[in-house]
Amino acid sequence: MMKKGYKEEFARRVFQQLKGFGSYGFPESHAASFALLVYVSSWIKCYYPDAFAVALLNSMPMGFYQPAQIVIDARNHGVEVRPVDINHSVWDNTLEEKAGAYRAVRLGFRQVKGLQSEEMQRLVSARYHAFPYIHSVLDAGVSMAALEKLADADAFRSIGLDRRQALWEVSALSDSPIGMFKGQPSESRSETQLVLPFLTDAAHVVEDYATTGLSLKAHPVSFVRPQLDSLHVTPTEALGKMKNGDKIKVAGLITVRQRPGTAKGIMFITIEDESGFANLVVWEKVFETHRKEIIQARLLMVEGKLQIEGEVIHVIANRCFNLSSLLKGMAANIDAESAVSTLSRSDEKNGTEEVFYKGRNFR
């Protein structure tokens, strides 16, 4: 640099900056390899969002996002996603016939917590025709424990039973001698005098999250929108219509919390409501002031300022509030803490720059 006319002091300062970057920057080979993966993944996601979603779901656990976020993103891009069902699902998530611009995604038995691949393969192998009754699934070699998990996951809709009715049927089977009435409906189907109370939509959503980690029925935040409206909380889908610097309140389930080591104490949080997601920037001083709310919240509300740079939108948080208590009334049949904990994954990411940018690139 000095031979080219630069002063030594300036040359040494530039050299020190380059040296500092060299301690954590990507080597060119790594950067090129990673860029290729990002490009290929983005291309598949753009043109085949149905196949992209299925591939991610079948590769879980992996990556930065949970099944609920993958499914929501696919549906937002025009992909129809269908629930786990005893007469239509196999172990893996699969593509079915074309429904609109893309093929429909059928959720597989792997999405139901606690089910075993070998047992579900017996069910699929015995499914020459659609199962007409829960008893016929039992005759296929499926255990009572697995039947209960399938009922909990609301997987009997194709035979006209929601999760509460299915659980009633399963309990009736457990009280009768197994195998005496092969292929016949249980006696509880003829008990017309018994009317089971309906589960609320909110309770169904909580149960969906508890059993499969996602719900196709509704987003949890939609059930507390009236309370959020009373607090003047803006839905995330409206952020793009606002101006840079606007003061704002946003709220949603925490899907990601991350604090990269090179971010000088800044925390990045992604929250999600029924209309979309918002990226929050929490400066170190704000985090220290609101540490308890940020760490404990499942449903987080922040007051802050909108920052818009091109197509990138952030909310710079000034104050944070834990609104998880609003979610506790969604399901009366499970305890409040369990109901809240099933709806959000808010563990903190303390990963490297690579993990951080992977998260950004997926969006």
Side-chain angles (χ1 to χ4, degrees):
M1 291 180 70
M2 292 173 65
K3 287 181 180 179
K4 291 182 178 292
Y6 293 97
K7 293 182 179 181
E8 181 178 352
E9 180 185 359
F10 175 75
R12 290 189 180 279
R13 193 162 69 247
V14 172
F15 176 75
Q16 288 299 321
Q17 290 178 346
L18 293 174
K19 182 180 177 182
F21 175 80
S23 66
Y24 69 88
F26 283 145
E28 283 188 9
S29 58
H30 187 168
S33 176
F34 183 63
L36 178 61
L37 290 174
V38 171
Y39 176 81
V40 171
S41 298
S42 299
W43 189 90
I44 296 173
K45 185 178 185 300
C46 179
Y47 292 102
Y48 298 95
D50 45 2
F52 184 79
V54 165
L56 286 182
L57 290 171
N58 287 339
S59 298
M60 299 296 285
M62 58 157 284
F64 210 78
Y65 291 89
Q66 291 299 292
Q69 281 74 56
I70 295 171
V71 167
I72 289 171
D73 184 76
R75 296 174 81 183
N76 288 342
H77 287 83
V79 178
E80 180 181 330
V81 183
R82 297 169 178 172
V84 179
D85 192 277
I86 57 164
N87 283 319
H88 302 291
S89 295
V90 295
W91 177 249
D92 282 332
N93 301 279
T94 54
L95 293 174
E96 297 188 338
E97 80 282 359
K98 198 168 184 180
Y102 308 106
R103 295 175 67 180
V105 171
R106 173 66 67 178
L107 297 181
F109 293 122
R110 64 159 54 236
Q111 297 303 134
V112 181
K113 298 173 185 177
L115 290 180
Q116 300 298 317
S117 173
E118 296 79 6
E119 193 165 17
M120 291 303 98
Q121 186 55 51
R122 289 199 297 272
L123 181 154
V124 173
S125 298
R127 197 171 59 198
Y128 303 108
H129 305 287
F131 293 118
Y133 311 117
I134 288 183
H135 204 141
S136 54
V137 182
L138 183 67
D139 293 339
V142 178
S143 67
M144 291 297 299
L147 283 179
E148 289 180 358
K149 289 181 172 63
L150 288 168
D152 276 333
D154 212 9
F156 290 94
R157 293 276 181 168
S158 62
I159 60 174
L161 301 176
D162 70 5
R163 58 169 37 95
R164 176 163 286 182
Q165 294 169 312
L167 283 169
W168 180 263
E169 291 283 319
V170 170
S171 66
L173 288 176
S174 66
D175 293 334
S176 63
I178 302 301
M180 285 187 63
F181 305 102
K182 278 180 84 69
Q184 299 298 315
S186 69
E187 292 182 4
S188 63
R189 289 183 64 88
S190 62
E191 294 176 345
T192 55
Q193 75 279 8
L194 180 65
V195 179
L196 295 175
F198 288 105
L199 282 177
T200 65
D201 292 339
H204 270 300
V205 169
V206 172
E207 294 287 357
D208 286 345
Y209 271 79
T211 54
T212 65
L214 60 94
S215 180
L216 303 179
K217 299 178 178 71
H219 194 281
V221 176
S222 65
F223 297 103
V224 298
R225 178 53 59 186
Q227 294 96 311
L228 296 179
D229 287 341
S230 68
L231 296 172
H232 307 290
V233 173
T234 301
T236 59
E237 66 178 353
L239 299 184
K241 303 173 185 178
M242 302 180 72
K243 301 189 298 296
N244 183 48
D246 282 352
K247 293 183 179 180
I248 192 173
K249 289 182 184 177
V250 290
L253 298 181
I254 296 178
T255 60
V256 175
R257 291 183 302 165
Q258 50 188 320
R259 188 165 45 175
T262 57
K264 298 181 180 179
I266 301 173
M267 175 170 280
F268 301 92
I269 302 174
T270 300
I271 61 173
E272 180 183 80
D273 65 10
E274 73 276 27
S275 66
F277 68 94
N279 293 314
L280 314 179
V281 177
V282 183
W283 298 107
E284 186 174 16
K285 289 184 178 180
V286 176
F287 173 71
E288 292 302 329
T289 302
H290 298 281
R291 175 188 292 270
K292 182 178 179 181
E293 290 82 0
I294 293 171
I295 298 300
Q296 295 183 355
R298 299 289 176 169
L299 177 62
L300 180 70
M301 182 182 80
V302 301
E303 289 182 356
K305 183 174 66 174
L306 203 60
Q307 183 182 79
I308 302 177
E309 296 179 3
E311 296 184 358
V312 179
I313 301 175
H314 290 96
V315 176
I316 310 300
N318 295 323
R319 300 175 66 193
C320 303
F321 304 86
N322 183 355
L323 299 186
S324 301
S325 60
L326 296 182
L327 301 171
K328 292 181 179 180
M330 290 180 60
N333 59 325
I334 58 179
D335 67 89
E337 292 303 321
S338 296
V340 174
S341 64
T342 62
L343 297 174
S344 172
R345 175 180 182 260
S346 58
D347 51 314
E348 183 176 338
K349 297 291 184 181
N350 284 309
T352 62
E353 294 276 6
E354 180 178 357
V355 173
F356 172 57
Y357 285 109
K358 280 181 181 177
R360 294 285 296 278
N361 282 330
F362 178 83
R363 288 299 188 186

